[in-house]
Amino acid sequence: MTPPLPTHNIRRHVVILGAGASRACCPNGDAVGKNLPVIADFIDTLKLRPKLETAGVFVDGEDFEALYSRLMTSGKYPVLVKDLEDEVFNYFTELRLPKEPTIYDHLVLSLRSKDLIASFNWDPFLIQAMGRCSLIAEPPHCLHLHGNVATGYCFQHERPSIGDRGENCRQCAEPFVDSQLLYPVAQKNYTADPLIAFAWKFVQASLKDCFLLTIFGYGAPATDVEAVNLMKEGWGDVNDRVMEETEIIDIRSDEDLRSTWDSFIHSHHYQTHNTFYDSMLGLLPRRSVEMMFRQLVEAEFIEHFPLPKDANWEELRDWVRPFVEQEKIAANASGA
Ligand SMILES: [Zn+2]
């Protein structure tokens, strides 16, 4: 198949990832079968219940974030709070992507360097996928909106350094600072951690000028009301986004998703899918914006060119290669 030509200086595709995406990426656990928690089963997946019970803490139907927030703000459990922070950090740090290509690899390869993935997840999967897919194609931008175990930073300079956790800053050679994962919910103001504040600024600017928005496995929990407000601020008034398309990949029903994300949807300009492979990313990889522009603005009929979801690494590399070659030719022709 000859891929459709890329357009230079085209608008972005922004993807927001939540815990449901990591679980869809590793439905049977990570490389060694370690399970991915979602907020509803977080305490039990991380086996935190015995620790809480020993400390005399009763979990009364709260999710982990609400519980952490209560313990932290009470000031009565400093040892337990530190212990929980370490447990969470260590659990996520150890997670490894399975060897064969996963949904996260497909996601990274379905986008170009102009695009952005902003993740709410603490796990290192996206960073790991970016690392291995960068051998095939230049990856999109990637940011973590709630901190991440694989990312470190140094903000001692005018231009911040962000890189892999455990590395040193390229500007001052000091070790990177770990990003903070847990905050009491009431103080989740997104300015306390400079890395998170930086991420949000970038995401808001990207939401302003993106043409396509995909929300993948992010349920907008009540504890994230501030995050959703920030996203909304970036997206702006839905009546100013009449050509743009919003897409939601989630196992919930269409009706439920439509009502959750109503303030991001103009009229009928939205789609919901149960799997990544039925989405604009899975069906129009690396050309989603070009193709959706033709469909939505120029009313053209477009054909899909689905990403080969069962391909091994070699087959996947061969499949992506013609796309990358065309992108290089287009970039050279435009003098970029
Ligand atoms: Zn530095």
Side-chain angles (χ1 to χ4, degrees), residues 53 67 83 110 115 146 162 173 193 213 215 233 277 324:
E53 278 167 4
L67 172 77
D83 203 12
S110 73
D115 301 314
H146 277 173
I162 300 172
D193 181 314
L213 169 63
I215 298 162
E233 233 177 85
Y277 298 102
V324 175

Side-chain angles (χ1 to χ4, degrees), residues 154-157 161 169-174 176:
C154 176
F155 275 38
Q156 298 303 316
H157 324 284
S161 289
C169 169
R170 288 170 292 279
Q171 297 182 69
C172 67
E174 290 294 316
F176 277 140

Side-chain angles (χ1 to χ4, degrees), residues 34-234:
K34 257 180 104 170
N35 284 326
L36 269 296
V38 290
I39 200 67
D41 58 32
F42 195 96
I43 291 170
D44 291 312
T45 302
L46 270 73
K47 301 192 171 59
L48 299 174
R49 202 172 291 274
K51 199 166 285 242
L52 293 166
E53 278 167 4
T54 307
V57 173
F58 181 62
V59 185
D60 188 15
E62 296 156 295
D63 69 32
F64 180 73
E65 277 199 292
L67 172 77
Y68 173 84
S69 193
R70 171 164 71 85
L71 298 178
M72 177 82 184
T73 43
S74 79
K76 285 193 262 174
Y77 306 93
V79 177
L80 176 66
V81 164
K82 175 77 180 73
D83 203 12
L84 290 173
E85 287 170 357
D86 290 345
E87 286 277 339
V88 170
F89 204 94
N90 293 337
Y91 189 90
F92 283 94
T93 300
E94 284 168 12
L95 292 168
R96 293 287 171 272
L97 274 183
K99 246 192 189 151
E100 287 307 312
T102 63
I103 288 183
Y104 274 4
D105 299 294
H106 294 153
L107 166 66
V108 169
L109 289 173
S110 73
L111 295 165
R112 307 213 302 267
S113 56
K114 68 177 172 63
D115 301 314
L116 169 70
I117 305 173
S119 173
F120 281 100
N121 300 336
W122 293 330
D123 65 68
F125 290 158
L126 181 60
I127 302 275
Q128 290 168 10
M130 300 267 288
R132 58 198 201 178
C133 290
S134 66
L135 303 173
I136 300 176
E138 199 184 336
H141 293 276
C142 150
L143 289 166
H144 287 93
L145 301 170
H146 277 173
N148 184 264
V149 294
T151 309
Y153 64 87
C154 176
F155 275 38
Q156 298 303 316
H157 324 284
E158 201 182 321
R159 209 161 46 86
S161 289
I162 300 172
D164 290 347
R165 175 172 170 253
E167 287 187 349
N168 292 337
C169 169
R170 288 170 292 279
Q171 297 182 69
C172 67
E174 290 294 316
F176 277 140
V177 177
D178 289 352
S179 72
Q180 193 177 334
L181 304 185
L182 285 160
Y183 297 88
V185 173
Q187 290 169 27
K188 223 193 225 178
N189 58 16
Y190 298 104
T191 53
D193 181 314
L195 183 64
I196 293 176
F198 175 84
W200 273 106
K201 236 174 150 176
F202 195 100
V203 167
Q204 285 196 308
S206 300
L207 282 170
K208 262 191 188 78
D209 72 10
C210 74
F211 185 67
L212 301 177
L213 169 63
T214 298
I215 298 162
F216 182 8
Y218 177 61
T223 43
D224 278 0
V225 60
E226 185 59 22
V228 176
N229 285 342
L230 286 173
M231 281 170 62
K232 180 68 192 133
E233 233 177 85

